Amino acid sequence: MMNVDVLQDERHHRFVLNMGPQHPSTHGVLRVLLEMEGEYALELQPVLGYGHRCHEKIAEYKPAKNFMPNTARMDYLGALIYNHGYAMLLERACGIEVPRRAEYIRVIVDELNRIQSHLLWLGAYLLDLGAFTPIMYSFDDREEILDILEDITGSRLTYCYMRVGGVCKDIDDKFVSRTRAFIDRLRSRYSIYEELVNGNVILQKRLIDVGDYTPEICARYGVTGPLLRGTGVEYDLRKAESYSVYSEFDFEIPTEQRGDSWASYNVRYREIEQSLRIIEQALDKLPEGDFIAPKVPKKLKIPAGDYNSSVEAPRGELSYYLVSDGSDMPYRLKIRTPSYCNLSVLPEMCKGMMIADVVACMGALDLVIPEIDR
Amino acid sequence: METLNSITPELIRIVMAVVGGVVIVFGNALVMGYLERKLAGHFQRRPGPMEVGFHGILQLLIDGVKLMGKQLVVPAQADKKLFMLAPMLSFVPVFLPLLVIPFSDKMQAFDLDVGLLFILAVAAINVLAILVGGWGSNNKYSLFGAFRSVAQNVAYEIPMLISLLAIVFMTNTFSLKGIVEAQNIWFVVLQPVAFLIYLVCMVAETNRAPFDLPEAESELTAGFHTEYSGMGFSLFMMAEYTNMFICCSIATVFFLGGTSGIPLPYFEYTGAIWFVAKVYLLMFFLVWIRWTYPRTRFDQLMNLCWKYLIPFSLVNLLITVVVVKL
Amino acid sequence: MNVKQIEKKWQGLGAKVEAVAYAQTGYDYDVTLTPESLHGFAEVMLAEGFYLVDLMAVHVKPAIEVVYQFAHFGGQRCRVMGRTFVDAQGALPTISDVFQGANWHEREARDFHGVVFAGHPNLQPLILAEEDVDLKPLLKDEKVLKDVAAIRRQVPEAEAPAAEKAAKPEAAN
């Protein structure tokens, strides 16, 4: 905690500005203490924990399978991907084979989830920068995804669609045709986003060279995801560790060289198209078969040992680390969430910045606070 | 008796002017409040207010009643006197410039010889009100907003005045009526640079996006009016809308030929229709850019003023002077 | 990235290196460290281009196990678990001067398990409230506390790394 007395005493021309937990651009319950001198923030200190819900402790008190709904409550924008990572962890630990159709369904819904997360980020980020209108357009598109996913998963935000060994419900022809229609729709909207938003001079002036960082800083802080790819490092777990069936699809990892807010903005924006490509290929190649492994034991005993599963969440690397003592309850479950590490770079990134740039940087991190606090 | 006879028309004139001014202030706030929300809705592919009345036309009345019913909360540590004074200080002066604006040939309360200077002098009080409000709230965000507002408005008044001075040099009068009458061709044709500079300054002076830094929600929550609720807030809002109206009126008088338009019967009165139409066209423009562009950063805003607008407006003034004298 | 060379460097620090089957466990190397070699290990990892994925503490019988997970940005997959033990009285050297990202992870471990990291610049509660400094919510009760052997993978034939490598990948991918 910053020493407020000292500030008032010795460096009396500085003051502490308390941003959050209720502030429009901290997206939830993040609190940042800014030591300001005029418009410039000299020191930043994020204060966490307002949304802490003890997920790791809860995990130790219920059968491993039953923890699935909790995973969705961590990152409400990447719930299906969190589901996927957790399902993968248990399958890996217990050696359960997942049917190919289930893997394909997982990939499709993962990527839909990723697109809706990026669309929400796009709108909310521009709202942070003072453009009120784009969020309505991106929500318009996002709504389509939510409707599609609602049809098969039954919920709109905190999905619990995946099960150990597959998914809980098969997809139907209606899902396939709606998803295809959505792909065409979103592609037809690119020109709107590109001409009205990305090409805007004010936006570019606000983002270019704001919040510089390098691959080295990323390594020291463990920054992953679109932020890392914004520095030119081509690192995406979908390729680097090619989990599930991602190795069967042809897609690129968008990278930018600049390492600033504008770079990560463009990386995210271009990822939407790559996700669409994956979905398209997956729909074309969708195999027939079971959507869930036939023989998954009711009581899932996890062999003793430690297991790890890492997936690429919309914001970066998500890792589950499970320590088991041989019972059906995890002995310890640690969840590494991407925003947690991405946020930790903020004090270094924003030193000496204007308050408007701090907001721009914070938006570029694409924070989801519940996954930081867990 | 004779003195009474000579006073009475003047008195009636004053009373009518004041009543007319109040009507314009409230009427404009209602119309603009509705238009802004409706237009914003349509820019964003949604209908906007729809529930109260036909296409939500009574929405603003309901909102007005709601705002009046709200408690005016004064923060515990605030400077109570200044806090209460600020909304009034903001609201009262914006009504004065309306007195000199020539809505039509006969609809003008006072034709001052120094009409332009009067408007600019009175409009500057608004800055003071924002500073008082921001300071009195005893909130860091409010103070930020107030400081930004002062820096911004003071800076942008310079190019605004210089661009208008170019017109004054051409017409040799500060009287708004004189300027309208001098326009055989609209000055927007003769002085396009001055018009563009004025438009940019107008957006900044009225604290509208993309130059709405004093109330930038994503940075300063609500800027100088963070702590205001109920009528305190709505007085600030009404002042902002009236300020927009006045700035657009000046643009109409100086660049768009004031009342000139297709002749109508009783033109000395009905010319006001054209005047108001032009004003609202400009207001539409203001709303349009607000819902289109992201916000600039504060240093970019100041750079734009000091590095581009002021030099350009000075050059424009110089060229005008040379051409007029030749 | 030359894995063999890095492996040598680890062994040079006195660490016990064990290759494990990725398909079964989700990581490639298991490196057992002493608290003294921890800082050197972190320096090696940074120099080799690894990034700190996560830091977690597991409460087991003799002492608290602290696991450092690293992965590599390069094209080749290499996920490393460095593990070490610290008892309730002892302290681990901080690695937050090497990997600044460890700063928050170490504070979190202090919050939940009470692991003390010597030399940490600001070991204040991060996720818990300030008054909950000594809550340590993730420490196990005596009843459920297991011995460290109980959470180790059971390898059928002795502890031969070769046997582990040969273990058939049964997981989905």
Side-chain angles (χ1 to χ4, degrees), chain A residues 48-49 57 60 92 220-221 228 235 241 243-244 305-306 308 310 317 325 331-332 334 336 340 374, chain C residues 22 25-27 51 53-54 57 59 69 72-73 79 83 100-101 104 108 126 137 140 146 153 173:
Chain A
L48 312 181
K57 185 81 178 167
E60 292 172 13
R92 189 170 276 166
R220 286 195 283 111
Y221 281 93
L228 173 66
Y235 182 71
E241 302 199 356
Y243 57 92
S244 196
D306 57 340
N308 180 70
S310 299
E317 175 178 350
D325 55 355
Y331 186 72
R332 168 94 167 97
K334 175 75 170 61
R336 187 262 195 210
Y340 186 80
R374 301 192 296 284
Chain C
Y22 178 84
T25 61
Y27 60 94
Y51 69 98
V53 178
D54 204 356
H59 190 205
Q69 185 182 358
H72 200 277
F73 282 153
R79 204 166 270 277
R83 50 183 88 238
Q100 275 80 358
W104 282 14
E108 192 188 324
L126 179 69
K140 302 260 178 191
K146 292 274 163 61
R153 204 166 302 110
N173 40 355

Side-chain angles (χ1 to χ4, degrees), chain A residues 69-114:
Chain A
N70 288 55
T71 62
R73 267 83 184 160
M74 275 179 273
D75 179 356
Y76 49 78
L77 294 180
L80 283 165
I81 299 170
Y82 273 59
N83 277 185
H84 192 168
Y86 190 66
M88 233 169 76
L89 175 78
L90 296 185
E91 285 149 12
R92 189 170 276 166
C94 304
I96 294 166
E97 189 91 36
V98 183
R100 276 178 63 75
R101 185 176 172 86
E103 291 282 22
Y104 269 76
I105 296 172
R106 282 180 178 186
V107 166
I108 293 168
V109 293
D110 271 10
E111 294 308 313
L112 281 175
N113 207 192
R114 193 185 310 278

Side-chain angles (χ1 to χ4, degrees), chain B residues 221-243:
Chain B
T221 52
F224 64 88
H225 57 65
T226 305
E227 296 286 0
Y228 284 93
S229 54
M231 279 316 279
F233 167 75
S234 50
L235 284 183
F236 273 124
M237 281 313 287
M238 258 190 276
E240 188 188 314
Y241 281 132
T242 316
N243 215 353

Side-chain angles (χ1 to χ4, degrees), chain B:
Chain B
M1 202 61 201
E2 270 172 23
T3 44
L4 194 65
N5 276 343
S6 65
I7 287 171
T8 316
E10 191 61 19
L11 199 66
I12 290 170
R13 197 180 163 80
I14 289 172
V15 169
M16 277 180 68
V18 170
V19 170
V22 172
V23 167
I24 289 175
V25 168
F26 283 93
N28 175 59
L30 282 181
V31 173
M32 272 316 287
Y34 178 71
L35 269 186
E36 172 122 46
R37 292 170 67 173
K38 206 72 191 168
L39 287 172
H42 285 286
F43 289 138
Q44 298 176 342
R45 299 162 62 97
R46 59 187 174 85
M50 285 299 267
E51 294 296 322
V52 193
F54 176 71
H55 278 251
I57 205 145
L58 298 176
Q59 182 69 44
L60 259 288
L61 287 178
I62 301 290
D63 281 357
V65 171
K66 180 199 77 177
L67 283 169
M68 271 184 251
K70 291 248 169 172
Q71 186 189 3
L72 186 58
V73 182
V74 183
Q77 299 294 315
D79 187 330
K80 200 168 177 185
K81 280 183 204 141
L82 291 185
F83 187 81
M84 299 303 272
L85 177 68
M88 286 178 252
L89 198 58
S90 159
F91 179 69
V92 173
V94 293
F95 146 81
L96 290 175
L98 292 173
L99 297 178
V100 296
I101 289 172
F103 290 100
S104 70
D105 287 349
K106 294 211 166 157
M107 287 170 73
Q108 184 185 18
F110 301 103
D111 183 23
L112 293 184
D113 290 341
V114 289
L116 174 63
L117 294 184
F118 176 74
I119 289 182
L120 289 174
V122 173
I125 299 177
N126 193 31
V127 183
L128 185 68
I130 290 177
L131 185 60
V132 167
W135 179 260
S137 303
N138 195 16
N139 175 321
K140 285 165 190 166
Y141 289 110
S142 301
L143 197 56
F144 255 123
F147 283 173
R148 281 181 176 192
S149 175
V150 172
Q152 173 180 337
N153 285 19
V154 169
Y156 273 85
E157 250 162 39
I158 300 167
M160 190 176 189
L161 184 60
I162 296 176
S163 65
L164 293 179
L165 271 184
I167 308 282
V168 173
F169 270 111
M170 290 170 76
T171 57
N172 280 324
T173 175
F174 276 117
S175 152
L176 299 186
K177 199 169 195 174
I179 288 165
V180 172
E181 280 160 4
Q183 289 184 65
N184 297 321
I185 314 166
W186 290 4
F187 283 140
V188 66
V189 184
L190 299 176
Q191 288 280 3
V193 179
F195 182 62
L196 285 178
I197 292 171
Y198 182 82
L199 271 189
V200 176
C201 296
M202 180 168 83
V203 178
E205 277 291 300
T206 50
N207 297 339
R208 304 271 301 174
F211 302 144
D212 61 343
L213 290 138
E215 48 202 81
E217 319 71 285
S218 56
E219 298 151 30
L220 306 180
T221 52
F224 64 88
H225 57 65
T226 305
E227 296 286 0
Y228 284 93
S229 54
M231 279 316 279
F233 167 75
S234 50
L235 284 183
F236 273 124
M237 281 313 287
M238 258 190 276
E240 188 188 314
Y241 281 132
T242 316
N243 215 353
M244 276 168 73
F245 185 85
I246 290 161
C247 282
C248 292
S249 301
I250 298 176
T252 310
V253 167
F254 275 75
F255 296 102
L256 300 180
T259 54
S260 72
I262 301 162
L264 295 167
Y266 303 107
F267 196 70
E268 60 268 38
Y269 295 105
T270 50
I273 293 172
W274 294 120
F275 187 91
V276 172
K278 285 171 195 169
V279 169
Y280 275 91
L281 195 68
L282 286 170
M283 303 255 256
F284 171 77
F285 172 76
L286 281 180
V287 173
W288 189 8
I289 55 172
R290 173 174 180 187
W291 296 101
T292 307
Y293 288 118
R295 187 180 299 118
T296 55
R297 205 169 56 206
F298 192 60
D299 56 333
Q300 292 167 347
L301 176 81
M302 298 309 269
N303 280 347
L304 177 70
C305 180
W306 293 106
K307 286 190 184 163
Y308 299 99
L309 292 183
I310 292 182
F312 273 114
S313 57
L314 280 173
V315 169
N316 184 53
L317 183 66
L318 199 69
I319 294 170
T320 313
V321 171
V322 171
V323 172
V324 167
K325 284 294 155 198
L326 278 180

